[in-house]
Amino acid sequence: MDSASPIETPEAPTQRRAGGRLGRKAVRSAPIASFPTLVRNIPVYEIVPGEAVELIHEESLKILEEVGCEFRDDEAIAMWKAAGADVRDTRVHIDRALLMDLVSKIPSEFTLNARNPEKTVKVGGRNSIFIPMYGAPYIRDLDGNRRYGTLEDLNNFHKLAYMAPALHSSSSIICEPMEIAVPKRHLHIIHSALTHSDKPFMGIVTSKDRAEDTMAMAGIVFGEDYVKDNTVVVSITNCNSPLVWDATMLDAMKVYARHNQPLILAPFALCGASTPASAVGAVAQVNAEALAGLAFTQLIRPGSPQIYGQFMVTVDMKTGAPMGGTPEAAQMMYLMGALARKYNLPWRTSGFHVGSKLNDAQAGYESNMLMHAAILAGANYIWHSAGWLEAGLTCGYSKFATDCEQLVGWYKYAGGLPFDDFKDAMAAIREVGPQGHFLGTQHTLDHFERAFFMPSIMDYNAFEQWSAEGAKDHDTRGREKARAMLADYVAPKMDEGISEGLRDFIARREEKLPDVVS
Amino acid sequence: MDSASPIETPEAPTQRRAGGRLGRKAVRSAPIASFPTLVRNIPVYEIVPGEAVELIHEESLKILEEVGCEFRDDEAIAMWKAAGADVRDTRVHIDRALLMDLVSKIPSEFTLNARNPEKTVKVGGRNSIFIPMYGAPYIRDLDGNRRYGTLEDLNNFHKLAYMAPALHSSSSIICEPMEIAVPKRHLHIIHSALTHSDKPFMGIVTSKDRAEDTMAMAGIVFGEDYVKDNTVVVSITNCNSPLVWDATMLDAMKVYARHNQPLILAPFALCGASTPASAVGAVAQVNAEALAGLAFTQLIRPGSPQIYGQFMVTVDMKTGAPMGGTPEAAQMMYLMGALARKYNLPWRTSGFHVGSKLNDAQAGYESNMLMHAAILAGANYIWHSAGWLEAGLTCGYSKFATDCEQLVGWYKYAGGLPFDDFKDAMAAIREVGPQGHFLGTQHTLDHFERAFFMPSIMDYNAFEQWSAEGAKDHDTRGREKARAMLADYVAPKMDEGISEGLRDFIARREEKLPDVVS
């Protein structure tokens, strides 16, 4: 019964319905609000008893001991040999003592620094953050059409991420700027994230050099010395399930872990295809894969912060296509959360990821299914929390705006139920008495906004009013909201020297990089 | 770690994608499947510690002792006086000893009988059931248009309820048959529910006579003697919040409780309007209202089964309109569940109720928000689990079909994680090894369908396939599904004598009833 609700922190202009020109003006002059780290004030949901979690853990250990895990990189193999693992060719059998010793070196919490110190957050324990999606080649635009993403779209999504109070990061490759040559693309992605927003961001992992470029650009913005000791960027490395960590991922791991920057060790599991057709079995496998990756990061740099990761979807039996918010995806999330707590690790899951092509009923349904589970499972790094459509192939403007707004509600949900005004509420009941009403009372006027989440893209008007306003569906209202937000965007400040430094760096690197992948 | 998953029970034809004419034919010849009572096999989520629940309980008791509750009916007042309550005019102050003594007489579980004994279910404890919506004057039809409901629509919704494997009841007034005169309408509503489906149903509460007619028709179907001792119909009585039980509701209570049939004692709370603007405060008030109603039912007939009820939505601050799936609605549900368990009562909440006018992203989002909470909060009578749109003013065909299908997933979710095939799954991992795949393995073929929920209205196809099939949104696919289900409907059997008995009863009653409300 904590008295303070985290929602009392600065309120976002996007939370209110900015009606007409006057409303728009008011928003324009207001500072862009952002919520601090979400400090969870509700219990976690444990879907199975502790002994079931132990059973899964035990089976994961056996997999790594008996089956082993592939590490397809000479340097990695040498490191495992030096650490005393049983290595046969590229197959590493890791005994439980070595594995758990390495995993235990990972801090349970870390600070993730933003270029604007006010946007710096904590990850781990009761601290959770929301991060937009990542990696879409397509976008669904402000007119509702699906097409390739461009740099302008990417800039827009970073603007929206900056303006969304409950998003704690700008991600980076929200969509791919497809018009930019692949070898040079990463420079513009990182530049977009770092300049259009001042929140934490995410790194590039597609090659060693690109990872190094990410760190160099972070160094320009944060200071070269600063990034040696301080966590400024989170990057994703996916296990190639089942049980393969490939060279590209291991390269990225080595760059970032050596820089003391956290990786998400996240098998991208298509349950039933890359795991057994069993929720519990899939979790045991994914856990083994994550633990193997986490342990390896501690061979690179002991004590470096890392994130226990998870991305598990079931696949459509007929097509093999990934599904979105199914019951099993939620159930598996609870299991992963329980395992993360057992290992005392910060953990990542995905919030609003869906299979739907449109921001329609399917998308709404799938989104809530997974975010609901992520929140109750106690996830710390809640990724794909804005924009995600079509199994990640598309980022939608309408979906992005919808997700940003709903995150404010989830922030409130996880902040728990405030009891501090309970006595006042009881006094209001006495004052109003039977058959009275509370809408006009002083208690209501004083407490309403804090008490109840009021989304603006959702429509609760009477049918007649809604019809008079054009009978718009949610998707249409979401696009309008995104458009309105973009019209209100004012860029965060950046020192001109830093801006120039970034531009110079990009120019110098572009000179050396080819226009096509060799 | 229960070994048996309740989902192993008869599988519904509607669960599978009936592709083309051949698929349709297969469905037609299959018996209409239905799941037995959902026996929860996952823990409940407790959002606050026990002492917080006690605090709310304590405040509820104080409200009933100090403020009291209105009972606007002479007979009810006389009964309260006889029971020793402190009565002033129509205001009844109920001390905690009397209140809790009466409430403790209510059974913690009861059997709800269906006219087809195979559809009989249990309510309370770990037993939960899903029930379609109730009370919509409007429908959104198979072409997506909103219009008044008709008897044909009502028949259709009862057909869909009958065909949905995870719906355990046919409700009754799913939509209002608006073309039938109000004084006679209830007869046709009950007739529709009892003939188009063989599942449990719900009673009419708008007057004493209509409640008696409901019982008379139940008597024709179940046998007059049978309905004296056995629970066959559940009815809803709403408190007029704050703190008023009016004459109409008290009349209905008296009829049904005297017949030993359960009421749902459910304040319809518009939080912030009919309760204080405080989630915890609203729960304390609603709890007081429910307890007062429950206690009264035990003055009518001690030991009669009853359902602790709850319908709590927040209101839009600007318009006073009810909202759908907001975070606070979910949080309040957890509190109500904890109180129900404290009192050892079967409890009702609402699953798929939404504010949205359309089966769009808002509807999907709101639906999942509340059903997710209902499932984790351990609700027993999960009402409004199919069809609900527009704060209950509209029942949609697309929404109904969507909800029916998703209930299969929730049934599975609440059935828990099966561990019985865990060893097999581990063996599959050993067999497949690193970089293999599981799709074609024997384990996958054997386990897939049971392991993972596969909804058919949701679309996970590749964008190209989805486009080739018409790029349909979820709403469109839902309407197509509803149409396909109705085409496959085959009525449940009913003894011709009973059919005639019902028709005769209606004819006789209609002769006596006026065509307009006097």
Side-chain angles (χ1 to χ4, degrees), chain B residues 177-415:
Chain B
M178 298 291 278
E179 78 274 35
I180 303 175
V182 169
K184 301 174 178 177
R185 193 181 288 171
H186 65 287
L187 301 166
H188 297 275
I189 292 167
I190 298 299
H191 183 253
S192 178
L194 286 171
T195 54
H196 291 97
S197 178
D198 59 2
K199 296 181 179 181
F201 74 113
M202 295 190 70
I204 304 287
V205 294
T206 44
S207 79
K208 183 175 172 299
D209 287 351
R210 292 174 196 161
E212 293 287 9
D213 283 345
T214 304
M215 286 312 304
M217 292 175 78
I220 293 166
V221 172
F222 287 87
E224 243 178 89
D225 282 345
Y226 187 88
V227 300
K228 283 179 189 161
D229 298 318
N230 297 289
T231 296
V232 299
V233 60
V234 174
S235 305
I236 172 70
T237 48
N238 281 312
C239 180
N240 194 350
S241 293
L243 296 164
V244 178
W245 285 99
D246 69 24
T248 306
M249 292 293 104
L250 293 168
D251 273 349
M253 269 191 225
K254 286 184 282 184
V255 172
Y256 288 112
R258 277 175 188 143
H259 281 96
N260 210 33
Q261 305 299 324
L263 283 312
I264 302 169
L265 287 295
F268 183 102
L270 299 169
C271 302
S274 68
T275 78
S278 151
V280 180
V283 168
Q285 178 189 314
V286 163
N287 184 44
E289 294 165 340
L291 290 175
L294 287 163
F296 179 66
T297 64
Q298 302 304 299
L299 291 180
I300 305 169
R301 180 157 173 168
S304 57
Q306 304 296 343
I307 300 174
Y308 176 77
Q310 179 249 13
F311 184 96
M312 301 180 78
V313 290
T314 54
V315 296
D316 185 309
M317 187 174 34
K318 287 196 312 189
T319 63
M323 301 170 79
T326 56
E328 297 82 18
Q331 290 176 321
M332 292 188 290
M333 230 184 257
Y334 295 121
L335 295 180
M336 295 304 292
L339 287 161
R341 281 186 291 281
K342 175 183 163 55
Y343 305 133
N344 208 17
L345 294 173
W347 74 285
R348 166 261 167 149
T349 191
S350 302
F352 286 146
H353 72 93
V354 307
S356 184
K357 281 82 178 167
L358 303 168
N359 191 18
D360 62 359
Q362 176 174 348
Y365 201 91
E366 294 180 292
S367 290
N368 194 292
M369 178 66 99
L370 298 178
M371 186 59 83
H372 216 135
I375 291 294
L376 296 187
N380 304 115
Y381 195 90
I382 308 179
W383 201 6
H384 303 322
S385 288
W388 181 289
L389 289 172
E390 204 189 324
L393 290 177
T394 295
C395 182
Y397 279 90
S398 175
K399 181 67 161 46
F400 203 103
T402 300
D403 292 344
C404 287
E405 181 170 87
Q406 288 300 326
L407 287 177
V408 176
W410 289 106
Y411 193 96
K412 194 164 181 308
Y413 191 138

Side-chain angles (χ1 to χ4, degrees), chain A residues 353-367:
Chain A
H353 72 93
V354 307
S356 185
K357 282 83 179 168
L358 303 169
N359 191 17
D360 62 0
Q362 176 175 347
Y365 202 91
E366 294 180 292
S367 290

Side-chain angles (χ1 to χ4, degrees), chain A residues 393-457:
Chain A
L393 290 176
T394 295
C395 182
Y397 280 90
S398 175
K399 181 68 160 48
F400 203 104
T402 300
D403 291 345
C404 288
E405 181 170 88
Q406 288 300 327
L407 287 176
V408 176
W410 289 105
Y411 193 96
K412 192 164 182 308
Y413 191 138
L417 281 153
F419 273 73
D420 57 339
D421 63 342
F422 191 29
K423 277 193 182 159
D424 292 347
M426 290 303 100
I429 292 172
R430 284 176 173 75
E431 184 195 322
V432 169
Q435 209 177 6
H437 70 89
F438 294 77
L439 265 183
T441 65
Q442 194 57 45
H443 178 270
T444 300
L445 296 173
D446 291 346
H447 293 81
F448 206 102
E449 267 199 85
R450 180 185 162 209
F452 301 134
F453 173 54
M454 291 284 140
S456 69
I457 307 176

Side-chain angles (χ1 to χ4, degrees), chain A residues 40-257:
Chain A
R40 293 170 45 79
N41 195 23
I42 56 172
V44 291
Y45 180 66
E46 303 285 4
I47 200 167
V48 294
E51 71 235 56
V53 179
E54 287 302 320
L55 185 62
I56 295 171
H57 164 69
E58 180 66 25
E59 292 297 326
S60 299
L61 296 184
K62 281 192 211 160
I63 292 171
L64 290 178
E65 288 175 335
E66 297 168 21
V67 182
C69 183
E70 294 277 318
F71 282 80
R72 297 187 173 164
D73 172 69
D74 291 344
E75 189 183 2
I77 286 298
M79 289 163 78
W80 275 119
K81 278 184 184 161
D86 170 12
V87 180
R88 308 169 204 170
D89 198 13
T90 52
R91 185 77 64 95
V92 182
H93 297 256
I94 315 166
D95 77 59
R96 59 191 64 200
L98 174 60
L99 181 82
M100 295 317 295
D101 177 58
L102 289 168
V103 169
S104 72
K105 296 182 197 298
I106 302 169
S108 58
E109 291 185 28
F110 64 89
T111 296
L112 176 58
N113 295 282
R115 73 172 174 94
N116 175 352
E118 286 174 19
K119 310 283 176 83
T120 290
V121 287
K122 283 196 172 175
V123 180
R126 289 171 59 215
N127 303 300
S128 298
I129 63 170
F130 296 113
I131 304 96
M133 76 162 292
Y134 182 101
Y138 300 98
I139 64 116
R140 203 165 267 279
D141 69 17
L142 287 163
D143 297 315
N145 300 314
R146 180 181 182 269
R147 56 169 172 75
Y148 275 132
T150 66
L151 184 60
E152 189 188 346
D153 293 312
L154 181 63
N155 293 343
N156 281 342
F157 288 127
H158 285 139
K159 290 175 184 178
L160 293 174
Y162 170 64
M163 297 179 81
L167 278 176
H168 297 96
S169 163
S170 314
S171 183
S172 59
I173 324 173
I174 297 178
C175 71
E176 294 273 358
M178 298 291 278
E179 77 275 34
I180 303 175
V182 169
K184 301 174 177 176
R185 195 181 286 171
H186 64 288
L187 301 165
H188 298 275
I189 291 168
I190 298 298
H191 183 254
S192 177
L194 285 172
T195 54
H196 291 97
S197 177
D198 58 2
K199 297 180 179 181
F201 74 113
M202 295 190 69
I204 304 288
V205 294
T206 46
S207 80
K208 183 176 171 298
D209 287 350
R210 292 175 196 161
E212 292 288 10
D213 283 345
T214 304
M215 286 312 304
M217 292 175 78
I220 293 167
V221 172
F222 287 86
E224 244 179 89
D225 282 345
Y226 187 89
V227 299
K228 284 180 190 161
D229 298 319
N230 297 289
T231 296
V232 300
V233 60
V234 174
S235 304
I236 172 72
T237 49
N238 280 312
C239 181
N240 194 350
S241 293
L243 296 163
V244 178
W245 285 99
D246 69 25
T248 307
M249 292 292 103
L250 293 168
D251 274 349
M253 269 191 226
K254 286 183 283 184
V255 172
Y256 288 112

